[in-house]
Amino acid sequence: MQLFVNDLTVMDFSYLCPRRGMVGESWIVDVILDGGLNEESMVLDFSKVKKQLKRLIDEHVDHKLLVPAEHEFARVKHDPLTDQVNLDFLRPDGRSIHLHCPPEAYAFIYSEEVTMASVSQYLKEIIATELPDNVQGLTLMLREEVIDGPYYHYTHGLKKHDGNCQRIAHGHRSRVKVVKNTQQDIQSERYWAKRWQDIYIGTREDLVSQSQLHLSEHAGELDFSEHHLFAYESSQGLFELIIPKSESDLVDTDSTVECLAQFMADEHKRMEPDAEFQVFAFEGVGKGAIAYA
């Protein structure tokens, strides 16, 4: 007997890619359980599937940075004194990425690449230990939202958030809709898809100098003149990030979807003062904010 649950949850996270850098992503999760019927004549109660499996997925992947731990670029060092983890992702040509964060900010995928297959296997191994004896098989199907139009991948951190959004490197795959003078404007949507393709969106007030960061021994020897350096402290701990300027964009506000929607609308108004704009900025799947300018 098989039990299925579609749209169990959406995982919003970022991952490190040797080619693309830091990539914000949103994957929808479907699940199938194989097993015999229990004393309630069920494979597993739907409410337990939704609560238990969603909790495990949220705990181990959602709002984290996924790291391909077996890739040659990845170097990880845990400091037992501070309980912080230094991560150096040593991409060539001066495009290295570095973080200093609490352990909860990361998920280490033991593969050379973060893919739907490697993340599915990672989650299956975690979830399998929590399933009752009558459940003998588990299939996780990860998929992207079908988006008929422009979209972008972005990563950010919300230091004022009291939940997991405060982690400095989590992200989303997001569609965008721009209305110009009451008509949808595909050219403006394509502008954002290009500008924010695989982007880190940082807040200017979080920029710091290199001397303020807790760098690994290797990172301390590098030239970061072409990088943005960010740091902030929030309720979960100290978060630091170094990322190439060419793969990041700066805003003067927090990077909530509300602020980003207004930033986008204001940018269009700046470029075309005589036009009226309405921007629908999405944060992952099925949610977002609307701003006007």
Side-chain angles (χ1 to χ4, degrees):
M1 179 67 68
Q2 291 185 314
L3 185 76
F4 70 89
V5 178
N6 292 334
D7 302 309
L8 174 67
T9 190
V10 176
M11 305 186 304
D12 290 308
F13 62 95
S14 290
Y15 69 93
L16 292 175
C17 175
R19 300 171 302 280
R20 298 169 62 185
M22 188 176 286
V23 183
E25 192 57 273
S26 299
W27 289 347
I28 302 166
V29 182
D30 303 324
V31 62
I32 297 177
L33 301 176
D34 291 88
L37 301 183
N38 60 18
E39 64 277 3
E40 297 176 299
S41 298
M42 300 176 179
V43 176
L44 189 62
D45 188 286
F46 278 120
S47 65
K48 292 182 179 179
V49 174
K50 293 178 179 179
K51 290 178 182 178
Q52 293 180 1
L53 271 63
K54 184 180 186 307
R55 174 183 59 81
L56 290 168
I57 291 169
D58 289 349
E59 180 180 341
H60 290 278
V61 172
D62 195 55
H63 285 76
K64 290 178 179 279
L65 177 68
L66 276 57
V67 180
E70 295 182 354
H71 196 280
E72 62 177 340
F73 293 170
R75 297 188 184 180
V76 182
K77 185 175 182 180
H78 178 257
D79 185 344
L81 295 178
T82 63
D83 198 28
Q84 293 277 110
V85 174
N86 274 84
L87 171 65
D88 299 318
F89 198 62
L90 302 173
R91 298 160 68 213
D93 304 323
R95 297 179 299 134
S96 63
I97 297 172
H98 308 267
L99 295 101
H100 176 82
C101 301
E104 295 78 15
Y106 309 96
F108 294 102
I109 309 300
Y110 288 91
S111 172
E112 290 189 354
E113 199 165 358
V114 175
T115 64
M116 288 186 178
S118 63
V119 175
S120 178
Q121 183 60 36
Y122 169 78
L123 285 172
K124 283 174 66 176
E125 293 173 359
I126 292 168
I127 293 171
T129 63
E130 301 281 336
L131 295 174
D133 293 338
N134 67 298
V135 178
Q136 288 112 30
L138 168 67
T139 302
L140 284 174
M141 294 161 290
L142 308 180
R143 56 186 169 89
E144 295 178 332
E145 176 190 19
V146 177
I147 300 177
D148 184 19
Y151 62 89
Y152 48 82
H153 298 258
Y154 77 98
T155 301
H156 67 154
L158 303 176
K159 63 179 179 293
K160 298 174 186 175
H161 195 270
D162 61 1
N164 294 335
C165 291
Q166 68 187 263
R167 295 168 181 168
I168 200 167
H170 75 275
H172 315 272
R173 174 180 180 263
S174 301
R175 59 174 295 206
V176 58
K177 178 181 177 182
V178 179
V179 176
K180 174 182 174 182
N181 295 333
T182 74
Q183 298 294 319
Q184 186 171 354
D185 185 3
I186 190 70
Q187 289 303 117
S188 293
E189 295 169 2
R190 288 172 179 163
Y191 168 83
W192 291 108
K194 181 179 180 180
R195 176 170 172 174
W196 282 354
Q197 179 183 10
D198 301 341
I199 200 74
Y200 184 82
I201 302 177
T203 301
R204 278 193 173 85
E205 72 175 15
D206 297 329
L207 292 170
V208 296
S209 65
Q210 185 169 336
S211 62
Q212 296 174 263
L213 298 178
H214 299 78
L215 301 175
S216 69
E217 182 177 348
H218 184 86
E221 300 173 353
L222 300 178
D223 176 14
F224 292 127
S225 59
E226 294 302 317
H227 286 65
H228 283 311
L229 287 64
F230 300 98
Y232 59 73
E233 192 158 1
S234 58
S235 61
Q236 291 186 4
L238 175 64
F239 294 88
E240 300 178 355
L241 168 67
I242 302 173
I243 193 164
K245 292 179 180 179
S246 61
E247 298 174 359
S248 53
D249 203 353
L250 297 176
V251 296
D252 291 323
T253 62
D254 294 321
S255 58
T256 62
V257 69
E258 296 91 339
C259 291
L260 293 182
Q262 193 61 60
F263 174 82
M264 297 162 82
D266 291 343
E267 280 286 279
H268 284 299
K269 189 68 172 179
R270 179 183 62 81
M271 292 184 285
E272 298 184 68
D274 295 331
E276 299 294 327
F277 291 94
Q278 183 182 25
V279 173
F280 296 75
F282 283 72
E283 185 184 74
V285 179
K287 62 186 189 297
I290 307 170
Y292 303 83

